[in-house]
Structures are given as C-alpha cells and as structure tokens.
Amino acid sequence: MTKEDAKGNEQVHTDFKERMTYGEYLQLDQLLSAQKRLSDHHDEMLFIVIHQVSELWMKLILHELWAAVHSIRKGEMQEAFKMLSRVSNIQSQIIHGWDVLSTLTPAEYIQFRDKLGQASGFQSYQYRMVEFALGYKTPHVLKIYEKDPVLHKELKEAYESPSIYDAAIEKLMEAGFPINPQLVERDYTQIYEADPSVEAAWAKVYKNVDEYWNLYQLAEKLVDIEDWLQQWRFRHMKTVERIIGHKTGTGGSSGVGYLKKVLDHRFFPELWEVRTKI
Ligand code: HEM
C-alpha cells in the first residue's frame, strides 16, 4: 500500500542518505559523463550517443547469443529460443537508430568528421564479436586490439569458439542426419562455408516440421537474426551514402562500396538456399 498526504498525493521515497538510488545502481555518473565531444559542433552529440546506444545493445546481444549457444549445446532448446527472440527484438530496436541518425546532414557531419581521425565503426570489437558468434570470422580486429591484452584475449576466445551455427549443425548430427564429419572437427577460425550435407538436413527438417519441431524453430530463429542483421547492414549503407556519398571511410575502406560488398555475405547459407529447394 502506498501512503498519501493530506491532499491525496502519493508519498514517494525521498530519503536516500543510507539507500542506493536509481542513478547509483545504474552508475549513471559514469555512463552520462562518457559523451565527450571533440568539437563544439552541436550535432556531434547525436553522433556519439547513437554509437554508444548501439554498443550498449550489442553488449546485450552478445550476452544473449553466447548464452544461447551454451543452451543449444546442452539441449536446452526452449531457453535458447527465448534468448534468440530477445536478440531479434533488440536488432529491430537498433535499426530505428538509423532514422534518428538520418537527421544528420552532410553539411553538419563534415564540420566534425576530421576530428574522428582514423576511428571508425569498422573497429567495433563488439560488432566483430557478434559476427564471430554467428560464424563470420575475420581476423583483422585481433590485430587492431593487440595493444589491449585483456580485450585481445576475449576476442581471440570468441574467434576460436564454435559459433551458434556450429552448435546448430551439432544438433542436426545428434538428430541422426548424415552430416559431413569434417564440419564438427573443423577449424572454427575459418569462415563457415556451405555444405551439401547441411542443406540436405535442413531440407528434411523443413519438409517434416512436426517431426523436427525444435530444429525447425531453431532454423527460423537463426533466419530472423540474419534477416535483421542484413537489414541493419543495408540501413547503415544507405545512411552512410546519404551522409558522405562515395567518400572513403575514416577506417580506410572505399566506404559505401565496401558496405555494399559485405551485404553479400551470408551467415547461414543453407538456410537461405533451402527455401528455393523445398
Ligand atoms: C554518420 C554516420 C556514419 C558514417 C558516415 C559511417 C561510415 C562508415 C563507413 C564508411 C564504414 C566502412 C569502414 C570505413 O572505412 O570506415 C563503416 C563501417 C562500420 N560502421 Fe559506420 N558509419 C556511421 C554510423 C555508424 C553507427 C551509428 C554505427 C553503430 C555502431 C556504425 C557501425 C559500423 C560498423 C560495425 C562498421 C563495420 C561494418 C563491416 O565491416 O561490415 N556506423 N561505417
């Protein structure tokens, strides 16, 4: 029961001398003092906040994804599905960030772009870890963070670990599908390449949904995640095009040309291929 004063207003807690406040619990002093503009341009605040918000969401995505890999490998499929649904919902949130960023015009961005030097989202280690968790292993981020041994170790572990798709393939094998044995003994630092035995297994799952309900659910959750990630990549590419046109990126790439090229990469190739085949 809440208390009310004489005028009928609710009495809320105001004495926090001995108690933890909301701000203390969330360490807002640290979080909200990390938006340090390098220029005095008004719009740089948007640029910093949108990146930080994206990184915070990526932190939660990684938390959920690695836990989902663990659950799948233990056979706790319902737990994994719940976490993967959460990942998709986070991804749908992040995508709306592009609408906000699109209010930044080329004329505004150009006024503080030089301040970034060679810093670029290309060096986002959390983004690379998301790619690692999904099986897209590119080593350049390891080189970039050699100067930070703790982070480097974490990145290396993620780089060398089986991805969520490797865990899904293990499940196909456990269900009795004749999966190419080389796939489960493979070098996990290599980018996953489509295999006919995996495609045949998924085709059977999609044709016999009732019999393989859990595998079917898993396949669809993975497709959700890849679909959202591709939509993120696409919106990033178009937003970059409207803000910097075809200028080269601060990270050293061709810019939009590079971002268009990464759109071609598929994380779970057989799950896309199977849609044509069944
Ligand atoms: C004005 C806004 C932005 C511009 C102009 C921009 C531009 C670019 C460019 C040109 C690249 C290619 C690499 C390079 O040469 O730099 C890139 C990569 C990247 N950016 Fe952005 N970006 C913007 C906003 C964002 C935001 C808000 C995020 C959210 C975290 C982000 C995350 C990334 C990531 C993760 C990559 C690597 C993509 C990959 O390798 O597949 N960017 N960006």
Side-chain angles (χ1 to χ4, degrees):
M1 275 282 284
T2 52
K3 289 186 193 149
E4 291 179 359
D5 65 13
K7 289 183 181 156
N9 297 320
E10 282 193 24
Q11 297 272 285
V12 294
H13 302 303
T14 51
D15 181 2
F16 282 91
K17 278 196 279 299
E18 305 290 328
R19 298 190 186 100
M20 179 177 69
T21 61
Y22 166 87
E24 283 161 354
Y25 173 63
L26 295 172
Q27 300 192 37
L28 291 184
D29 52 348
Q30 277 197 52
L31 192 67
L32 300 178
S33 57
Q35 293 70 39
K36 299 213 167 55
R37 286 182 290 166
L38 294 182
S39 71
D40 55 10
H41 197 276
H42 171 86
D43 299 298
E44 192 184 347
M45 186 60 93
L46 161 66
F47 188 78
I48 293 173
V49 169
I50 197 84
H51 281 87
Q52 289 183 340
V53 167
S54 305
E55 291 290 340
L56 271 179
W57 279 129
M58 282 191 248
K59 181 162 187 161
L60 185 56
I61 288 180
L62 283 167
H63 181 70
E64 301 292 336
L65 269 183
W66 287 121
V69 173
H70 190 63
S71 291
I72 294 168
R73 298 189 90 189
K74 283 204 307 190
E76 293 168 354
M77 303 308 280
Q78 298 309 316
E79 286 81 349
F81 296 156
K82 188 164 183 302
M83 292 184 256
L84 296 178
S85 296
R86 186 173 290 163
V87 170
S88 293
N89 279 291
I90 300 166
Q91 290 175 295
S92 101
Q93 275 289 321
I94 307 183
I95 282 177
H96 291 297
W98 297 120
D99 299 337
V100 185
L101 190 58
S102 297
T103 62
L104 179 73
T105 68
E108 288 160 353
Y109 183 50
I110 208 160
Q111 293 184 53
F112 61 88
R113 188 178 191 229
D114 281 355
K115 299 278 182 204
L116 306 178
Q118 295 183 343
S120 159
F122 189 75
Q123 297 129 26
S124 165
Y125 53 82
Q126 291 205 110
Y127 184 76
R128 296 302 168 208
M129 275 199 257
V130 171
E131 289 189 331
F132 292 171
L134 300 178
Y136 185 42
K137 308 287 182 81
T138 52
H140 55 258
V141 73
L142 294 166
K143 177 92 189 119
I144 295 170
Y145 290 101
E146 260 170 6
K147 64 178 179 182
D148 182 338
V150 177
L151 174 59
H152 188 264
K153 185 167 172 279
E154 206 183 319
L155 281 165
K156 196 161 176 286
E157 270 169 26
Y159 180 61
E160 289 169 355
S161 297
S163 71
I164 197 157
Y165 201 50
D166 293 310
I169 291 170
E170 272 173 31
K171 285 288 129 191
L172 289 171
M173 204 173 222
E174 278 172 34
F177 290 105
I179 300 294
N180 175 0
Q182 283 177 351
L183 291 183
V184 276
E185 289 151 18
R186 73 189 194 90
D187 173 0
Y188 294 120
T189 65
Q190 297 304 301
I191 297 171
Y192 178 79
E193 303 251 353
D195 188 280
S197 68
V198 174
E199 188 183 312
W202 285 129
K204 199 158 175 209
V205 168
Y206 274 84
K207 284 184 193 152
N208 301 277
V209 167
D210 292 341
E211 193 181 341
Y212 299 110
W213 184 255
N214 271 349
L215 287 167
Y216 168 66
Q217 283 271 89
L218 177 59
E220 286 298 291
K221 298 275 180 230
L222 294 179
V223 171
D224 283 343
I225 290 174
E226 174 152 1
D227 193 347
W228 280 118
L229 204 134
Q230 290 291 39
Q231 291 190 48
W232 184 91
R233 280 174 164 172
F234 183 79
R235 288 295 313 270
H236 179 231
M237 184 271 289
K238 285 316 273 186
T239 312
V240 170
E241 190 176 17
R242 75 180 271 177
I243 299 177
I244 64 164
H246 288 262
K247 292 192 189 100
T248 51
T250 49
S253 82
S254 59
V256 168
Y258 164 79
L259 296 172
K260 272 192 183 147
K261 211 161 79 210
V262 280
L263 272 171
D264 290 339
H265 169 259
R266 289 202 154 164
F267 292 90
F268 316 128
E270 299 91 346
L271 288 176
W272 294 97
E273 202 52 45
V274 83
R275 293 168 141 72
T276 317
K277 302 282 170 63
I278 58 167

